[in-house]
Amino acid sequence: MSEPTVMYALLALALGVGAGLVVLVIGELRWEARNRLPRCTTCGEHHHRHAAHR
């Protein structure tokens, strides 16, 4: 293998690893947003959706 081919292979590997990390981070952020308790627009507290206000 010549030197430029090795550099292109390393660049492709680095781009693949970077893309994989981006996918993992986005998945983690989506999971956190889905499982976070929402802030109520009525009272401003954090509780489950459709909670009774007493």
Side-chain angles (χ1 to χ4, degrees), residues 24-47:
L24 288 174
V25 168
I26 290 174
E28 179 70 18
L29 290 174
R30 290 181 68 207
W31 184 86
E32 285 181 9
R34 189 170 49 245
N35 292 318
R36 181 176 39 228
L37 287 177
R39 183 176 294 275
C40 180
T41 56
T42 303
C43 64
E45 297 294 322
H46 292 280
H47 50 74

PDB file of all heavy atoms in Angstrom, residues 24-47:
ATOM      1  N   LEU A  24     -24.710   7.594  18.533  1.00  0.00           N
ATOM      2  CA  LEU A  24     -24.883   7.235  19.942  1.00  0.00           C
ATOM      3  C   LEU A  24     -25.319   8.425  20.795  1.00  0.00           C
ATOM      4  O   LEU A  24     -26.209   8.299  21.643  1.00  0.00           O
ATOM      5  CB  LEU A  24     -23.577   6.659  20.498  1.00  0.00           C
ATOM      6  CG  LEU A  24     -23.200   5.266  20.011  1.00  0.00           C
ATOM      7  CD1 LEU A  24     -21.830   4.892  20.537  1.00  0.00           C
ATOM      8  CD2 LEU A  24     -24.232   4.249  20.447  1.00  0.00           C
ATOM      9  N   VAL A  25     -24.725   9.584  20.573  1.00  0.00           N
ATOM     10  CA  VAL A  25     -25.073  10.777  21.351  1.00  0.00           C
ATOM     11  C   VAL A  25     -26.501  11.207  21.061  1.00  0.00           C
ATOM     12  O   VAL A  25     -27.265  11.528  21.987  1.00  0.00           O
ATOM     13  CB  VAL A  25     -24.076  11.920  21.059  1.00  0.00           C
ATOM     14  CG1 VAL A  25     -24.579  13.238  21.611  1.00  0.00           C
ATOM     15  CG2 VAL A  25     -22.717  11.586  21.641  1.00  0.00           C
ATOM     16  N   ILE A  26     -26.900  11.198  19.811  1.00  0.00           N
ATOM     17  CA  ILE A  26     -28.272  11.589  19.457  1.00  0.00           C
ATOM     18  C   ILE A  26     -29.270  10.610  20.070  1.00  0.00           C
ATOM     19  O   ILE A  26     -30.305  11.013  20.598  1.00  0.00           O
ATOM     20  CB  ILE A  26     -28.432  11.690  17.930  1.00  0.00           C
ATOM     21  CG1 ILE A  26     -27.663  12.905  17.422  1.00  0.00           C
ATOM     22  CG2 ILE A  26     -29.903  11.767  17.539  1.00  0.00           C
ATOM     23  CD1 ILE A  26     -27.633  13.021  15.918  1.00  0.00           C
ATOM     24  N   GLY A  27     -28.964   9.331  20.031  1.00  0.00           N
ATOM     25  CA  GLY A  27     -29.846   8.341  20.644  1.00  0.00           C
ATOM     26  C   GLY A  27     -29.984   8.547  22.135  1.00  0.00           C
ATOM     27  O   GLY A  27     -31.079   8.439  22.695  1.00  0.00           O
ATOM     28  N   GLU A  28     -28.878   8.861  22.813  1.00  0.00           N
ATOM     29  CA  GLU A  28     -28.916   9.110  24.249  1.00  0.00           C
ATOM     30  C   GLU A  28     -29.737  10.357  24.571  1.00  0.00           C
ATOM     31  O   GLU A  28     -30.539  10.358  25.514  1.00  0.00           O
ATOM     32  CB  GLU A  28     -27.487   9.270  24.785  1.00  0.00           C
ATOM     33  CG  GLU A  28     -27.390   9.552  26.247  1.00  0.00           C
ATOM     34  CD  GLU A  28     -27.777   8.380  27.132  1.00  0.00           C
ATOM     35  OE1 GLU A  28     -27.790   7.238  26.625  1.00  0.00           O
ATOM     36  OE2 GLU A  28     -28.081   8.614  28.313  1.00  0.00           O
ATOM     37  N   LEU A  29     -29.566  11.419  23.793  1.00  0.00           N
ATOM     38  CA  LEU A  29     -30.334  12.648  24.031  1.00  0.00           C
ATOM     39  C   LEU A  29     -31.827  12.418  23.808  1.00  0.00           C
ATOM     40  O   LEU A  29     -32.655  12.923  24.572  1.00  0.00           O
ATOM     41  CB  LEU A  29     -29.827  13.770  23.123  1.00  0.00           C
ATOM     42  CG  LEU A  29     -28.440  14.312  23.460  1.00  0.00           C
ATOM     43  CD1 LEU A  29     -28.004  15.312  22.395  1.00  0.00           C
ATOM     44  CD2 LEU A  29     -28.423  14.946  24.837  1.00  0.00           C
ATOM     45  N   ARG A  30     -32.179  11.648  22.787  1.00  0.00           N
ATOM     46  CA  ARG A  30     -33.594  11.353  22.537  1.00  0.00           C
ATOM     47  C   ARG A  30     -34.177  10.526  23.670  1.00  0.00           C
ATOM     48  O   ARG A  30     -35.310  10.740  24.091  1.00  0.00           O
ATOM     49  CB  ARG A  30     -33.761  10.626  21.206  1.00  0.00           C
ATOM     50  CG  ARG A  30     -33.473  11.518  20.009  1.00  0.00           C
ATOM     51  CD  ARG A  30     -33.682  10.776  18.716  1.00  0.00           C
ATOM     52  NE  ARG A  30     -35.099  10.506  18.573  1.00  0.00           N
ATOM     53  CZ  ARG A  30     -35.597   9.479  17.889  1.00  0.00           C
ATOM     54  NH1 ARG A  30     -34.790   8.644  17.278  1.00  0.00           N
ATOM     55  NH2 ARG A  30     -36.882   9.292  17.788  1.00  0.00           N
ATOM     56  N   TRP A  31     -33.396   9.552  24.199  1.00  0.00           N
ATOM     57  CA  TRP A  31     -33.878   8.709  25.289  1.00  0.00           C
ATOM     58  C   TRP A  31     -34.122   9.550  26.538  1.00  0.00           C
ATOM     59  O   TRP A  31     -35.138   9.386  27.211  1.00  0.00           O
ATOM     60  CB  TRP A  31     -32.864   7.606  25.570  1.00  0.00           C
ATOM     61  CG  TRP A  31     -33.327   6.638  26.601  1.00  0.00           C
ATOM     62  CD1 TRP A  31     -34.105   5.535  26.405  1.00  0.00           C
ATOM     63  CD2 TRP A  31     -33.065   6.694  28.010  1.00  0.00           C
ATOM     64  NE1 TRP A  31     -34.330   4.909  27.598  1.00  0.00           N
ATOM     65  CE2 TRP A  31     -33.707   5.596  28.602  1.00  0.00           C
ATOM     66  CE3 TRP A  31     -32.345   7.566  28.813  1.00  0.00           C
ATOM     67  CZ2 TRP A  31     -33.652   5.353  29.955  1.00  0.00           C
ATOM     68  CZ3 TRP A  31     -32.298   7.324  30.175  1.00  0.00           C
ATOM     69  CH2 TRP A  31     -32.940   6.226  30.732  1.00  0.00           C
ATOM     70  N   GLU A  32     -33.189  10.454  26.846  1.00  0.00           N
ATOM     71  CA  GLU A  32     -33.351  11.321  28.020  1.00  0.00           C
ATOM     72  C   GLU A  32     -34.569  12.226  27.871  1.00  0.00           C
ATOM     73  O   GLU A  32     -35.332  12.416  28.819  1.00  0.00           O
ATOM     74  CB  GLU A  32     -32.109  12.173  28.225  1.00  0.00           C
ATOM     75  CG  GLU A  32     -30.939  11.423  28.792  1.00  0.00           C
ATOM     76  CD  GLU A  32     -29.725  12.308  28.997  1.00  0.00           C
ATOM     77  OE1 GLU A  32     -29.852  13.541  28.848  1.00  0.00           O
ATOM     78  OE2 GLU A  32     -28.666  11.764  29.308  1.00  0.00           O
ATOM     79  N   ALA A  33     -34.766  12.790  26.696  1.00  0.00           N
ATOM     80  CA  ALA A  33     -35.908  13.683  26.482  1.00  0.00           C
ATOM     81  C   ALA A  33     -37.224  12.920  26.599  1.00  0.00           C
ATOM     82  O   ALA A  33     -38.211  13.445  27.114  1.00  0.00           O
ATOM     83  CB  ALA A  33     -35.804  14.349  25.118  1.00  0.00           C
ATOM     84  N   ARG A  34     -37.239  11.686  26.150  1.00  0.00           N
ATOM     85  CA  ARG A  34     -38.471  10.889  26.189  1.00  0.00           C
ATOM     86  C   ARG A  34     -38.816  10.484  27.624  1.00  0.00           C
ATOM     87  O   ARG A  34     -39.990  10.372  27.967  1.00  0.00           O
ATOM     88  CB  ARG A  34     -38.287   9.648  25.310  1.00  0.00           C
ATOM     89  CG  ARG A  34     -39.531   8.847  25.089  1.00  0.00           C
ATOM     90  CD  ARG A  34     -39.357   7.765  24.024  1.00  0.00           C
ATOM     91  NE  ARG A  34     -38.172   6.957  24.212  1.00  0.00           N
ATOM     92  CZ  ARG A  34     -37.129   6.922  23.369  1.00  0.00           C
ATOM     93  NH1 ARG A  34     -37.142   7.653  22.284  1.00  0.00           N
ATOM     94  NH2 ARG A  34     -36.098   6.144  23.597  1.00  0.00           N
ATOM     95  N   ASN A  35     -37.822  10.266  28.466  1.00  0.00           N
ATOM     96  CA  ASN A  35     -38.072   9.774  29.816  1.00  0.00           C
ATOM     97  C   ASN A  35     -38.069  10.860  30.890  1.00  0.00           C
ATOM     98  O   ASN A  35     -38.299  10.555  32.050  1.00  0.00           O
ATOM     99  CB  ASN A  35     -37.031   8.702  30.170  1.00  0.00           C
ATOM    100  CG  ASN A  35     -37.237   7.460  29.343  1.00  0.00           C
ATOM    101  OD1 ASN A  35     -38.357   7.033  29.133  1.00  0.00           O
ATOM    102  ND2 ASN A  35     -36.169   6.894  28.842  1.00  0.00           N
ATOM    103  N   ARG A  36     -37.814  12.092  30.517  1.00  0.00           N
ATOM    104  CA  ARG A  36     -37.800  13.179  31.496  1.00  0.00           C
ATOM    105  C   ARG A  36     -39.233  13.563  31.858  1.00  0.00           C
ATOM    106  O   ARG A  36     -40.116  13.587  31.012  1.00  0.00           O
ATOM    107  CB  ARG A  36     -37.062  14.375  30.881  1.00  0.00           C
ATOM    108  CG  ARG A  36     -36.947  15.560  31.790  1.00  0.00           C
ATOM    109  CD  ARG A  36     -36.126  16.669  31.172  1.00  0.00           C
ATOM    110  NE  ARG A  36     -36.390  16.806  29.751  1.00  0.00           N
ATOM    111  CZ  ARG A  36     -35.447  16.898  28.823  1.00  0.00           C
ATOM    112  NH1 ARG A  36     -34.189  16.864  29.152  1.00  0.00           N
ATOM    113  NH2 ARG A  36     -35.763  17.027  27.564  1.00  0.00           N
ATOM    114  N   LEU A  37     -39.458  13.868  33.112  1.00  0.00           N
ATOM    115  CA  LEU A  37     -40.782  14.327  33.523  1.00  0.00           C
ATOM    116  C   LEU A  37     -41.022  15.721  32.958  1.00  0.00           C
ATOM    117  O   LEU A  37     -40.177  16.602  33.101  1.00  0.00           O
ATOM    118  CB  LEU A  37     -40.891  14.368  35.045  1.00  0.00           C
ATOM    119  CG  LEU A  37     -40.981  13.023  35.761  1.00  0.00           C
ATOM    120  CD1 LEU A  37     -41.017  13.252  37.271  1.00  0.00           C
ATOM    121  CD2 LEU A  37     -42.192  12.256  35.317  1.00  0.00           C
ATOM    122  N   PRO A  38     -42.154  15.931  32.326  1.00  0.00           N
ATOM    123  CA  PRO A  38     -42.427  17.246  31.736  1.00  0.00           C
ATOM    124  C   PRO A  38     -42.809  18.270  32.793  1.00  0.00           C
ATOM    125  O   PRO A  38     -43.338  17.930  33.843  1.00  0.00           O
ATOM    126  CB  PRO A  38     -43.602  16.971  30.806  1.00  0.00           C
ATOM    127  CG  PRO A  38     -44.302  15.808  31.414  1.00  0.00           C
ATOM    128  CD  PRO A  38     -43.229  14.970  32.053  1.00  0.00           C
ATOM    129  N   ARG A  39     -42.526  19.539  32.488  1.00  0.00           N
ATOM    130  CA  ARG A  39     -42.928  20.636  33.370  1.00  0.00           C
ATOM    131  C   ARG A  39     -44.384  20.979  33.048  1.00  0.00           C
ATOM    132  O   ARG A  39     -44.752  21.208  31.917  1.00  0.00           O
ATOM    133  CB  ARG A  39     -42.043  21.855  33.170  1.00  0.00           C
ATOM    134  CG  ARG A  39     -42.386  22.994  34.121  1.00  0.00           C
ATOM    135  CD  ARG A  39     -41.449  24.170  33.978  1.00  0.00           C
ATOM    136  NE  ARG A  39     -40.086  23.853  34.380  1.00  0.00           N
ATOM    137  CZ  ARG A  39     -39.631  23.906  35.632  1.00  0.00           C
ATOM    138  NH1 ARG A  39     -40.446  24.264  36.603  1.00  0.00           N
ATOM    139  NH2 ARG A  39     -38.383  23.627  35.905  1.00  0.00           N
ATOM    140  N   CYS A  40     -45.190  21.009  34.057  1.00  0.00           N
ATOM    141  CA  CYS A  40     -46.615  21.278  33.900  1.00  0.00           C
ATOM    142  C   CYS A  40     -46.835  22.736  33.507  1.00  0.00           C
ATOM    143  O   CYS A  40     -46.244  23.645  34.102  1.00  0.00           O
ATOM    144  CB  CYS A  40     -47.336  20.966  35.206  1.00  0.00           C
ATOM    145  SG  CYS A  40     -49.108  21.267  35.139  1.00  0.00           S
ATOM    146  N   THR A  41     -47.701  22.967  32.543  1.00  0.00           N
ATOM    147  CA  THR A  41     -47.997  24.342  32.134  1.00  0.00           C
ATOM    148  C   THR A  41     -48.993  25.009  33.076  1.00  0.00           C
ATOM    149  O   THR A  41     -49.164  26.219  33.042  1.00  0.00           O
ATOM    150  CB  THR A  41     -48.561  24.367  30.702  1.00  0.00           C
ATOM    151  OG1 THR A  41     -49.708  23.530  30.632  1.00  0.00           O
ATOM    152  CG2 THR A  41     -47.519  23.882  29.708  1.00  0.00           C
ATOM    153  N   THR A  42     -49.656  24.219  33.934  1.00  0.00           N
ATOM    154  CA  THR A  42     -50.626  24.770  34.873  1.00  0.00           C
ATOM    155  C   THR A  42     -49.961  25.240  36.163  1.00  0.00           C
ATOM    156  O   THR A  42     -50.148  26.373  36.590  1.00  0.00           O
ATOM    157  CB  THR A  42     -51.713  23.723  35.210  1.00  0.00           C
ATOM    158  OG1 THR A  42     -52.322  23.300  33.997  1.00  0.00           O
ATOM    159  CG2 THR A  42     -52.761  24.297  36.136  1.00  0.00           C
ATOM    160  N   CYS A  43     -49.159  24.359  36.774  1.00  0.00           N
ATOM    161  CA  CYS A  43     -48.581  24.693  38.075  1.00  0.00           C
ATOM    162  C   CYS A  43     -47.066  24.884  38.032  1.00  0.00           C
ATOM    163  O   CYS A  43     -46.494  25.370  38.999  1.00  0.00           O
ATOM    164  CB  CYS A  43     -48.926  23.611  39.093  1.00  0.00           C
ATOM    165  SG  CYS A  43     -48.222  21.998  38.719  1.00  0.00           S
ATOM    166  N   GLY A  44     -46.409  24.482  36.959  1.00  0.00           N
ATOM    167  CA  GLY A  44     -44.976  24.680  36.831  1.00  0.00           C
ATOM    168  C   GLY A  44     -44.119  23.601  37.468  1.00  0.00           C
ATOM    169  O   GLY A  44     -42.902  23.662  37.407  1.00  0.00           O
ATOM    170  N   GLU A  45     -44.734  22.616  38.098  1.00  0.00           N
ATOM    171  CA  GLU A  45     -43.989  21.525  38.729  1.00  0.00           C
ATOM    172  C   GLU A  45     -43.712  20.423  37.709  1.00  0.00           C
ATOM    173  O   GLU A  45     -44.306  20.377  36.646  1.00  0.00           O
ATOM    174  CB  GLU A  45     -44.793  20.945  39.898  1.00  0.00           C
ATOM    175  CG  GLU A  45     -45.039  21.930  41.014  1.00  0.00           C
ATOM    176  CD  GLU A  45     -43.741  22.322  41.712  1.00  0.00           C
ATOM    177  OE1 GLU A  45     -42.881  21.454  41.895  1.00  0.00           O
ATOM    178  OE2 GLU A  45     -43.615  23.508  42.069  1.00  0.00           O
ATOM    179  N   HIS A  46     -42.788  19.524  38.079  1.00  0.00           N
ATOM    180  CA  HIS A  46     -42.493  18.364  37.238  1.00  0.00           C
ATOM    181  C   HIS A  46     -43.306  17.180  37.738  1.00  0.00           C
ATOM    182  O   HIS A  46     -43.160  16.756  38.883  1.00  0.00           O
ATOM    183  CB  HIS A  46     -40.994  18.003  37.309  1.00  0.00           C
ATOM    184  CG  HIS A  46     -40.116  19.014  36.677  1.00  0.00           C
ATOM    185  ND1 HIS A  46     -39.921  19.092  35.324  1.00  0.00           N
ATOM    186  CD2 HIS A  46     -39.373  20.009  37.206  1.00  0.00           C
ATOM    187  CE1 HIS A  46     -39.094  20.068  35.050  1.00  0.00           C
ATOM    188  NE2 HIS A  46     -38.750  20.655  36.184  1.00  0.00           N
ATOM    189  N   HIS A  47     -44.198  16.648  36.898  1.00  0.00           N
ATOM    190  CA  HIS A  47     -44.927  15.437  37.241  1.00  0.00           C
ATOM    191  C   HIS A  47     -45.383  14.763  35.963  1.00  0.00           C
ATOM    192  O   HIS A  47     -45.242  15.306  34.872  1.00  0.00           O
ATOM    193  CB  HIS A  47     -46.106  15.726  38.170  1.00  0.00           C
ATOM    194  CG  HIS A  47     -47.007  16.820  37.721  1.00  0.00           C
ATOM    195  ND1 HIS A  47     -47.902  16.695  36.696  1.00  0.00           N
ATOM    196  CD2 HIS A  47     -47.130  18.095  38.143  1.00  0.00           C
ATOM    197  CE1 HIS A  47     -48.553  17.815  36.524  1.00  0.00           C
ATOM    198  NE2 HIS A  47     -48.099  18.697  37.389  1.00  0.00           N
TER     199      HIS A  47
END
